Amino acid sequence: MKKINLMLSAFTLFGLLSFSGCADKNSTSESTLISSTQTAEKHKVTFVTNNGSKDITRNVTHGKVATAPSVEKQFYKLEGWYTDETCELQRWNFGFDTVTEDITLYAKWEVDFENWVWRLARQASKSTIMLKVEHYNKNNYNAETGEFSGKPSGSGYGSGVVFAEKDGYYYALTNNHVVSNSTTKIENGETIDVMNFTTVPKITIYDHYINPYSAQLILSMNRYDLALVRFSTRSDDYNYSPSGGMIDPDYIDAANKAGAEEDYNNYKIRIAKFAEDDPEIGENVSSYGAPIAQPGVCTIGTVFDYRGGCIYDHEYSSSWIHEFDVIYHSASILSGNSGGPLYDVNLDIAGINYGSSGLNDTFTNGGVFWAIPISKVREFLDLYVVADTTINTEGQYTFLGDF
């Protein structure tokens, strides 16, 4: 009996020792796991959004994948995140790439072309106009009545863009060579602009619904190849309708329930804003205008340089831009696009188109297309138009003079 008790005691002791050993082993493993979790190295991942907002910083555990933040940029789509600031060398794969050190990722954006084209059709079209210019001998023009007689000595078409409104008048920009009312000559080493008074231009403006309006030439300068015109959409207290007829303004109020107000807003002329700066090389732009007298045509391209772009190399030409560099871009234009806007992705005026290295009757000539930078448009207005020297909240010039 003593022997059996001794064996049981030994077995019990062995079991207790064994159990105790297992408990110590599991306890040590669990402690090691907790310690490892607590001391796991973390790395800082900085996301440079490139959309005007602040950078985003996240801490990611060593060897783990990072999660891309949700970011937006108006009129753009996110193409991806890159490890280099140029966003050209290596794209980060959030499904496979793991974080092993502090890194910075840069957002690359691309234009949302589908949205841009839609906005060009719905909004920019309302700012862009077509001009028909007929030149009459000054003897066939009555300055008191504003009436023309006889037949014009010549005519042509161009484009323009409405950028301001005041006292019932819309103000639009186009090219000097569209209205051809000034030349330049050199006297004593100085460049002098000379108005052409041998002919008087009769200018008719057509809006995006092909409604015609008589326009008045305010100023034109060939060394900028820019001209300023104004027109009114009202005649004897009537408004033009989308069909080209004339309707009583009371019709708008009387037929609101039938959708007349929405219809009116759809065809109402839109005031385009100036871009804050000249477009950068590589920036996407769109030409809008009336090539070959066909209004409502837009093309899309890219700014690729700034260089000189003189159409005629003599001082008596209607376009003699020789004192500043112009925008070289690939948004095709044709004859008739002259004076039309070069829009940026915000639909702001980035420049005024005026020529190319070789216009012909197709959009596929592979030419280089030229536009006057918006900084020079501002200079033209500041120098020659009585205007406020600042831009107001709508981004337009506040005209102080009576034209």
Side-chain angles (χ1 to χ4, degrees), residues 79-324:
E79 191 273 339
W81 295 90
Y82 286 76
T83 58
D84 61 298
E85 193 171 358
T86 62
C87 296
E88 299 291 342
L89 301 179
Q90 185 170 349
R91 194 172 189 267
W92 187 265
N93 188 320
F94 289 93
F96 298 97
D97 292 338
T98 58
V99 179
T100 58
E101 60 182 348
D102 291 351
I103 58 171
T104 300
L105 298 177
Y106 301 87
K108 180 177 182 179
W109 301 93
E110 59 183 19
V111 175
D112 186 344
F113 285 100
E114 182 178 351
N115 175 270
W116 191 19
V117 171
W118 183 88
R119 289 183 297 111
L120 282 165
R122 295 284 294 176
Q123 299 177 43
S125 61
K126 299 176 185 179
S127 306
T128 311
I129 56 175
M130 181 175 72
L131 294 85
K132 179 182 180 180
V133 182
E134 300 170 288
H135 295 279
Y136 285 80
N137 186 285
K138 66 178 182 179
N139 296 324
N140 293 341
Y141 173 67
N142 188 322
E144 293 182 0
T145 63
E147 295 180 350
F148 294 85
S149 61
K151 294 182 179 180
S153 58
S155 64
Y157 288 87
S159 302
V161 59
V162 177
F163 73 101
E165 181 183 11
K166 182 180 184 291
D167 297 336
Y169 285 97
Y170 289 106
Y171 291 85
L173 289 160
T174 187
N175 287 144
N176 174 70
H177 76 259
V178 170
V179 296
S180 297
N181 206 55
S182 100
T183 58
T184 302
K185 67 177 182 178
I186 305 296
E187 286 187 2
N188 300 321
E190 295 184 1
T191 303
I192 300 175
D193 293 288
V194 180
M195 297 299 291
N196 176 12
F197 293 110
T198 60
T199 62
V200 178
K202 178 183 179 181
I203 304 172
T204 305
I205 283 176
Y206 298 87
D207 66 13
H208 56 294
Y209 271 104
I210 320 301
N211 292 313
Y213 312 108
S214 295
Q216 176 187 4
L217 177 63
I218 304 301
L219 180 76
S220 61
M221 292 288 175
N222 77 332
R223 57 174 137 171
Y224 287 91
D225 199 357
L226 288 172
L228 177 67
V229 298
R230 76 171 185 179
F231 65 98
S232 175
T233 59
R234 302 182 68 86
S235 176
D236 298 328
D237 295 324
Y238 282 80
N239 281 323
Y240 284 97
S241 71
S243 62
M246 299 183 73
I247 56 175
D248 191 320
D250 292 338
Y251 165 80
I252 299 298
D253 296 327
N256 276 347
K257 293 181 180 180
E261 183 176 23
E262 180 180 356
D263 182 60
Y264 174 75
N265 289 331
N266 282 339
Y267 81 85
K268 188 168 61 175
I269 291 174
R270 169 184 175 268
I271 307 300
K273 297 179 181 180
F274 288 172
E276 292 184 3
D277 302 298
D278 294 337
E280 297 180 358
I281 294 175
E283 187 173 332
N284 292 107
V285 288
S286 173
S287 294
Y288 212 113
I292 320 177
Q294 298 297 313
V297 177
C298 71
T299 59
I300 291 175
T302 305
V303 174
F304 60 85
D305 206 352
Y306 281 81
R307 303 179 193 170
C310 195
I311 296 179
Y312 304 108
D313 193 20
H314 60 86
E315 66 270 25
Y316 297 106
S317 68
S318 58
S319 178
W320 193 46
I321 298 176
H322 67 289
E323 297 175 343
F324 57 86

Side-chain angles (χ1 to χ4, degrees), residues 359-380:
L359 291 176
N360 59 25
D361 59 354
T362 71
F363 280 118
T364 58
N365 61 7
V368 177
F369 309 101
W370 301 336
I372 302 154
I374 194 63
S375 61
K376 292 301 175 181
V377 175
R378 282 197 177 94
E379 186 177 290
F380 165 77

